[in-house]
Amino acid sequence: MLRSFFRYLAGCGAIVFAHIGGAQSLEIWEIQGDGLTSPFEGERVTTTDNVVTAVGGSLFFIQTPDARSDGDAWTSDGMVVALGSSPPVAVGDMVDVTGTVREEFGQTEIAGGPTVTVTSTGHPRPRAVLLDGETPTPLQPWPETELERFEGMWVEVRSGVVSAPSDDHGEACVTTGPRRLFREPGIIWPGLAGLAVWDGNPEGFELDPYGLGGAGFDLVAGTRFRASGVLAYAFGAYQLWPVTFTGFDDSALPRAVPLASPGDVAIGTQNLFHFGGPGADVPYATRLTKLSRHVREVLRSPHLLAVQEAFDLAVLQDLADRVADDDPSIRYEAYLVKNDPDSIINVGYLIRDPVVARSIAQIGTDVRFTWDGSLLFDRPPLVLEAAIPRAGESIELTVIAVHLRSLGGIEDPEIGERVRRKRHEQSVWLSEWIQAWQNADPTGHLVVLGDLNAFEFSDGYVDVVGQVTGDLDPDGALLAASEEVEPQLVNWVLRLPADDRYSFVFECSAEVLDHILTNHAATPWVRGIAAARANADAPHDLEFDATTSMRSSDHDGLVLYLGPRLRRDVVRRVAPVSAAQTIWR
């Protein structure tokens, strides 16, 4: 009766603490409070007549029945009870719990050897909190308690999308909106005055199928799903720990690019993700097996493949040899140059008939970075002069394979300015080289491709792609781009459908890092572009699985298709490689 009296007063808005067995008697929403941490942290409490909503491992979740909720949208009615052994409860039990309030890595829980008493069974779970396109909010500024207010509660997602695949811990980033999350123009919120701001996609949160200690399952990005479970907080992120999950995976990974039509030439780019060299987690034999399958089955053995992040020529030749072993009809020549003997990631080519390599040489090898006098390019662009024979004649093609400075550290208060300036100077130097080449050979055919480590628009700090193509982003950048390239280059990534416009997934957002560009003379020769899908959307643990090409890298590749539609005035006679030309194999 005393306990009921105190509940009555609490329901009337009074703040009442009852001491039962030395512990304060509180409702869950009182323990949780309306902040990020409990106002009763470290204190011994009792909470009674709450419903068990989920059980897993050595913990279970409890929630206030709907009739006793305080109705406050900013206080949670649920929380976790942490035990040292298997919980002696079942879903639907009504329980009393006494223990110590603890913030375990940011999650409020009752712990400290809690006592648990089941008072009745067979109760329905409280009404689920619906997570939809409006909750959590996709808008900034994002309240710090936007998801904290549901911590520990029973929640439901009726139409969600997996935005990033299962990571090394089995956790995937999801969103409750109708479309997966994509990187957008600008500096991440709150940004800088006068420049475009990207909101950072705050509505993305994690789903951990292993959270309640079950067998779990991997998730492919792009999968649509519905689920119900409890909202937990672990490893610095809010996570849905599902009790029910229904997925609708229509991504059909791996998704190969189309085969080149007879007479066409396929030119591709693929970041190989630290292929070869020291410190690899995945066995080298597994990497070779997977990459061979990826080149043959997903990229469909392009006639020319620019690669990034290969350790040296030997490992790239190993890949060429393995492809030939797996399919004797596909024989690549490997080319790679190291500017720095200590470099573990380098740019190279795999080339096969009908493409003929006339010469291959690095450019920008001695250019200095104005910031500190160091080399501007750690992995200089690699220029290929190629010929494509046709009926005794040859189509001439210049290809530049690039791997520019990454975005890593661009926001860092200590190194950010250096990162930004290096990215800017690299793009300016490359654009000036391209324009000089165009001035020298206005009718020549040029393809620029590789990992530009840049979005198809300005990141707000540097407009790398705008600088290289000459097509500047009207939103501008902190380090303003200059119009060096005329005629402008065409970025074929922009011809992909919007939902297919990405080659990498970072945190929750799909983004373009890899590009294929052509100059004005080569553009009429292009039949189309395709994005391979086997890596960026695939669960991370597949990198150890030699039976599949999926997760052979962390980037997806691109393939451009060129057809024989050049004017005869730019078709030249085939000539052998001169001994004076620089060529590496």
Side-chain angles (χ1 to χ4, degrees), residues 229-300:
V230 287
L231 191 69
Y233 186 85
F235 304 107
Y238 292 97
Q239 299 180 340
L240 171 58
W241 291 359
V243 173
T244 68
F245 182 92
T246 304
F248 307 92
D249 182 8
D250 55 5
S251 59
L253 292 183
R255 189 190 79 191
V257 301
L259 280 169
S261 299
D264 286 359
V265 172
I267 294 181
T269 179
Q270 178 65 62
N271 184 305
L272 301 181
F273 184 52
H274 287 266
F275 174 49
D281 294 328
V282 181
Y284 185 61
T286 300
R287 292 297 313 276
L288 270 178
T289 299
K290 292 178 71 68
L291 284 171
S292 172
R293 293 192 65 169
H294 183 71
V295 170
R296 292 179 294 108
E297 299 173 3
V298 183
L299 296 176
R300 298 292 187 94

Side-chain angles (χ1 to χ4, degrees), residues 39-329:
F40 298 97
E41 182 179 2
E43 298 184 27
R44 194 160 180 82
V45 300
T46 293
T47 186
T48 61
D49 296 336
N50 296 301
V51 180
V52 176
T53 58
V55 180
S58 60
L59 53 79
F60 65 96
F61 287 78
I62 57 175
Q63 188 164 330
T64 308
D66 292 331
R68 288 207 328 272
S69 171
D70 65 344
D72 186 343
W74 296 99
T75 60
S76 172
D77 285 341
M79 68 186 314
V80 66
V81 179
L83 304 171
S85 58
S86 184
V89 298
V91 172
D93 286 351
M94 188 78 77
V95 297
D96 296 346
V97 178
T98 298
T100 302
V101 178
R102 180 174 68 180
E103 292 290 335
E104 182 67 7
F105 301 110
Q107 177 164 263
T108 305
E109 60 185 29
I110 297 179
T115 60
V116 179
T117 303
V118 177
T119 58
S120 59
T121 62
H123 297 273
R125 291 185 177 100
R127 183 173 58 254
V129 172
L130 181 61
L131 302 181
D132 56 19
E134 300 300 321
T135 306
T137 177
L139 305 176
Q140 291 282 17
W142 212 62
E144 62 179 3
T145 55
E146 174 67 11
L147 283 174
E148 173 70 20
R149 59 192 174 126
F150 306 127
E151 182 190 80
M153 293 183 69
W154 183 251
V155 299
E156 180 182 3
V157 177
R158 295 177 184 171
S159 183
V161 181
V162 178
S163 196
S166 299
D167 62 17
D168 295 332
H169 304 287
E171 300 154 357
C173 183
V174 301
T175 180
T176 57
R179 183 174 180 254
R180 70 184 296 180
L181 305 175
F182 282 79
R183 188 34 160 109
E184 297 164 354
I187 299 171
I188 193 169
W189 192 90
L192 295 176
L195 296 169
V197 178
W198 174 49
D199 64 11
N201 292 333
E203 67 269 35
F205 61 97
E206 292 182 355
L207 187 149
D208 183 3
Y210 302 85
L212 290 169
F217 47 87
D218 283 337
L219 290 167
V220 173
T223 299
R224 295 173 296 110
F225 72 93
R226 60 174 179 260
S228 58
V230 287
L231 191 69
Y233 186 85
F235 304 107
Y238 292 97
Q239 299 180 340
L240 171 58
W241 291 359
V243 173
T244 68
F245 182 92
T246 304
F248 307 92
D249 182 8
D250 55 5
S251 59
L253 292 183
R255 189 190 79 191
V257 301
L259 280 169
S261 299
D264 286 359
V265 172
I267 294 181
T269 179
Q270 178 65 62
N271 184 305
L272 301 181
F273 184 52
H274 287 266
F275 174 49
D281 294 328
V282 181
Y284 185 61
T286 300
R287 292 297 313 276
L288 270 178
T289 299
K290 292 178 71 68
L291 284 171
S292 172
R293 293 192 65 169
H294 183 71
V295 170
R296 292 179 294 108
E297 299 173 3
V298 183
L299 296 176
R300 298 292 187 94
S301 306
H303 303 98
L304 183 154
L305 181 62
V307 300
Q308 305 86 46
E309 297 198 25
F311 176 64
D312 59 14
L313 180 59
V315 302
L316 196 56
Q317 187 61 54
D318 283 350
L319 178 55
D321 294 342
R322 180 57 190 269
V323 168
D325 289 343
D326 291 335
D327 186 342
S329 70

